[in-house]
Amino acid sequence: SRLMPPRTNLQALRGVVQVFGRNINADYKPATPYAGRLHLAVAMQDSPDVEAAGQPDEALAAWLGYAPLARLWHAPGNHLTMLAPPHVDELAAWIKPLLRGAEMPA
C-alpha cells in the first residue's frame, strides 16, 4: 500500500518528515499522573516481543507510570498500516465501544 499519492509534491513530503522528526525527538513527561482511563493501541508488527501470560510489555509499563488506568490493545499491522484497510476495521471495532462508553465533558 502507498503512504502518499504518487504525485505528492516535495513540499508536502518535507512537512510530513519535519512533523515526524519533531515527534520522535520530543521528550514530554506529564507533571501529574492522568487519573482517567487511557487506551493504548500498540501495533503488533512494531513490537513483536509481547511477554507471555498477559504481562504488560514495555509500552504499557511506561504508560502506567503516567496513567495508572492505562489498558493495552494489540493492533494488527504496523504503526501506519493499522490505520488502513484491512486493519483499520479491527481498530474501529475496538475503539467504537470505547467511544460509546466515554463520558462527554459538560
Side-chain angles (χ1 to χ4, degrees):
S1 74
R2 299 185 189 273
L3 297 177
M4 306 276 291
R7 296 185 185 185
T8 301
N9 68 39
L10 188 56
Q11 190 60 30
L13 188 56
R14 279 188 184 123
V16 170
V17 171
Q18 286 175 346
V19 169
F20 177 76
R22 287 183 186 125
N23 288 339
I24 203 162
N25 290 315
D27 189 25
Y28 173 77
K29 292 185 174 68
T32 59
Y34 175 65
R37 292 182 188 163
L38 183 134
H39 302 281
L40 180 64
V42 174
M44 291 170 55
Q45 288 179 2
D46 288 344
S47 56
D49 59 337
V50 176
E51 296 177 21
Q55 295 298 316
D57 68 5
E58 290 180 19
L60 180 59
W63 276 101
L64 287 171
Y66 303 108
L69 298 179
R71 297 294 174 260
L72 180 67
W73 178 68
H74 293 284
N78 64 35
H79 188 74
L80 295 174
T81 63
M82 68 188 268
L83 301 173
H87 303 310
V88 73
D89 294 333
E90 289 185 56
L91 176 63
W94 168 71
I95 204 168
K96 192 181 288 187
L98 299 174
L99 293 173
R100 283 189 183 135
E103 293 180 27
M104 301 305 285

